[in-house]
Amino acid sequence: AALPADTAQALLDSAFHAFDSGVAATAGIAAVLMLAASALAYWSLRPQAG
């Protein structure tokens, strides 16, 4: 509340951008880990030939 309006807006924009970047990175990592876990489950649980 004590910051000038333009400084406060720049700070808010920076915080929102950092949050969005963090969410996107976390979602990407989660997607890769989910694909790796599903591939591991597929190869571990498939019936063995013979």
Side-chain angles (χ1 to χ4, degrees):
L3 292 175
D6 58 339
T7 305
Q9 188 60 45
L11 181 63
L12 283 174
D13 290 342
S14 177
F16 287 138
H17 180 67
F19 180 78
D20 288 342
S21 296
V23 168
T26 303
I29 292 169
V32 169
L33 289 175
M34 191 169 41
L35 287 172
S38 64
L40 178 65
Y42 172 76
W43 278 300
S44 296
L45 299 174
R46 67 181 175 178
Q48 297 296 321

